Amino acid sequence: MTTRGTLRELVGLREFRAMWIGSTVSTAGDQLAAVALSLLVFERTRSVAATALTWSLTLFPPLISGPLLGWVADRFPRRTVMVTTAWLQAALMAAMAIPGMPLWAMIVLLVVVLAISSPYLAAQEASLPHVLPPKRYDDGVALFGTSVDIAQMAGLAAAGFLVAHTSPGVALAVNAATFAALAILVQTSVKHRPAADPLGRKKKPDDEPRGVLTLMVSEPRLRTLLGVRLLAGLAMVPEGLAVPLAASLNAVWAVGLILAIEPAANVLGVALLFRLVRDPAKRERLIGPLAILSLAPLIMFAFNPNLTWTIVLLVFAGIGGAYHTPARSAWMRLLPDQYRGRAYGIGRAALRSSQGGGMALAGVVASSIGSVTATIAGAGGIGLLLATQATFALRRARGRDDTKAVAI
């Protein structure tokens, strides 16, 4: 992803190092907790439906808490928000690890833990432009993103081993410890900064009285960058149909492989992008073409590829998904500081909704038409048209901004 010199420089930044290490470890711990709780529910109920419902609960709370609680990261000092929420999550996870805790209470605690993760993540994301020097901001965002992907895979891989050799309660306790470590790291390493948009702040005469949604919709580049990221809902259709896709290939054993390709290829794509293209402006110009690459290979599923070609197509699509990293950093860089927490909460909820909604809709369509590969190809075709449109929209928006800069 980055050169050794760049990585050394990023890790040498005390604030960034603490946030990066803490976030990566905590992400791995979250995967341990999710698997542990699912296994615990299955052990106690022997219900597949209850187990699936428990796992799905890990996806839904941020959809609500993101838009509702993102404002906390703007109205209060962001270090305070991160430390407070991390300690709250540590305490709640520790309570879940208490032997004999009723299942309903554990599920309620899980929902609260996931809900209060939204203000933490919003504060963290909004802090990065202050923590990182401008020339290293994109590199830092890329390192954060790829580390989270790797931590998720590592956490899931370690979860089964840890639970099998200990107990679900131990995994929950480990996750509580990761939140405590995260709180300590942030408290001792990240500088205190005043709130970006504190409660009761007197507005300046030239302040524009608009809300964050108005800003996100009215600014062409912000609107288009968010829109192109929401295409993930179409790009992730193969993951949503991984089981029936593998079954149609007479290779049910390949379900895990199909699911792992997207994050692994995405990490590879980000590494290639940042190694080959050093200029952030040039990377931003590649957002559209890479978005097209993330969807165009899916059209080839219309030809019912075998397992080998399925893997090849998904690898290319996953590499194209690297566009999310420069799109994420460009979007946050364009936002005024006082809006970043709220905008992040709304954007994250929108992205999660597009991913979950896209996979759910794909399942309905595949069931209706009786073809998994045709559904994937259709998603690729629709996505290709939208990505092409977004590419031209981004070019026009950049052109308008460049014209304004010259005029100024």
Side-chain angles (χ1 to χ4, degrees):
M1 181 197 61
T2 56
T3 63
R4 289 184 180 180
T6 300
L7 181 60
R8 193 180 303 115
E9 183 178 347
L10 288 171
V11 175
L13 298 170
R14 179 182 173 86
E15 292 184 273
F16 176 81
R17 182 174 66 245
M19 293 168 64
W20 171 56
I21 293 174
S23 179
T24 303
V25 172
S26 179
T27 297
D30 287 345
Q31 308 312 305
L32 291 177
V35 172
L37 186 57
S38 296
L39 290 174
L40 191 60
V41 169
F42 185 71
E43 286 178 3
R44 294 191 187 180
T45 66
R46 292 296 168 182
S47 169
V48 175
T51 305
L53 178 62
T54 301
W55 186 267
S56 68
L57 281 175
T58 64
L59 303 175
F60 289 112
L63 300 183
I64 300 173
S65 63
L68 291 182
L69 298 179
W71 62 272
V72 175
D74 294 330
R75 301 299 194 184
F76 298 95
R78 285 163 179 159
R79 186 186 72 172
T80 301
V81 173
M82 288 188 282
V83 172
T84 302
T85 52
W87 277 121
L88 281 173
Q89 289 173 303
L92 293 170
M93 289 302 305
M96 289 174 63
I98 296 174
M101 176 70 67
L103 274 180
W104 67 265
M106 296 180 73
I107 291 173
V108 169
L109 290 172
L110 174 66
V111 170
V112 177
V113 167
L114 294 170
I116 62 177
S117 69
S118 292
Y120 177 90
L121 292 172
Q124 174 181 266
E125 190 78 7
S127 296
L128 287 178
H130 299 284
V131 168
L132 291 164
K135 68 175 183 177
R136 290 294 177 232
Y137 175 64
D138 287 52
D139 295 303
V141 170
L143 182 57
F144 246 92
T146 53
S147 297
V148 166
D149 283 339
I150 293 171
Q152 287 176 335
M153 290 186 285
L156 289 172
F161 177 84
L162 180 63
V163 173
H165 288 79
T166 55
S167 68
V170 171
L172 295 172
V174 168
N175 194 31
T178 66
F179 282 122
L182 176 59
I184 293 170
L185 278 170
V186 173
Q187 178 68 51
T188 57
S189 300
V190 176
K191 295 177 183 177
H192 173 82
R193 295 177 176 87
D197 189 20
L199 293 170
R201 178 175 73 94
K202 292 182 178 180
K203 303 293 183 181
K204 298 178 181 178
D206 58 346
D207 277 353
E208 210 172 334
R210 57 179 175 176
V212 65
L213 275 174
T214 303
L215 173 67
M216 292 167 62
V217 172
S218 62
E219 294 292 332
R221 284 178 76 184
L222 287 173
R223 181 178 64 241
T224 309
L225 283 168
L226 179 58
V228 78
R229 292 203 67 196
L230 296 185
L231 293 177
L234 294 168
M236 291 185 68
V237 164
E239 288 188 60
L241 299 176
V243 174
L245 176 60
S248 70
L249 295 168
N250 295 316
V252 177
W253 58 269
V255 170
L257 176 61
I258 291 172
L259 290 172
I261 286 174
E262 191 274 336
N266 184 259
V267 170
L268 174 61
V270 173
L272 291 173
L273 176 62
F274 277 73
R275 182 169 291 276
L276 298 176
V277 184
R278 301 294 176 84
D279 184 1
K282 291 181 179 178
R283 287 197 294 263
E284 186 176 343
R285 286 195 287 271
L286 289 174
I287 290 172
L290 286 173
I292 291 172
L293 177 61
S294 74
L295 290 153
L298 303 187
I299 298 175
M300 300 304 294
F301 277 86
F303 299 100
N304 296 309
N306 59 25
L307 180 60
T308 300
W309 279 108
T310 292
I311 293 171
V312 170
L313 292 172
L314 293 180
V315 166
F316 276 103
I319 290 173
Y323 80 86
H324 284 281
T325 297
R328 168 186 169 185
S329 58
W331 191 70
M332 189 60 67
R333 192 166 46 236
L334 287 168
L335 283 165
D337 188 38
Q338 66 267 29
Y339 288 104
R340 283 174 178 156
R342 284 163 286 180
Y344 177 80
I346 294 171
R348 181 170 179 251
L351 183 59
R352 287 288 190 94
S353 297
S354 74
Q355 292 170 333
M359 289 190 284
L361 181 60
V364 173
V365 172
S367 179
S368 299
I369 67 176
S371 173
V372 173
T373 52
T375 301
I376 296 174
I382 295 171
L384 178 60
L385 291 175
L386 294 174
T388 302
Q389 182 183 15
T391 300
F392 287 110
L394 279 173
R395 186 176 299 173
R396 289 193 299 270
R398 281 198 305 270
R400 281 193 293 266
D401 288 350
D402 291 343
T403 300
K404 290 179 183 177
V406 171
I408 292 172

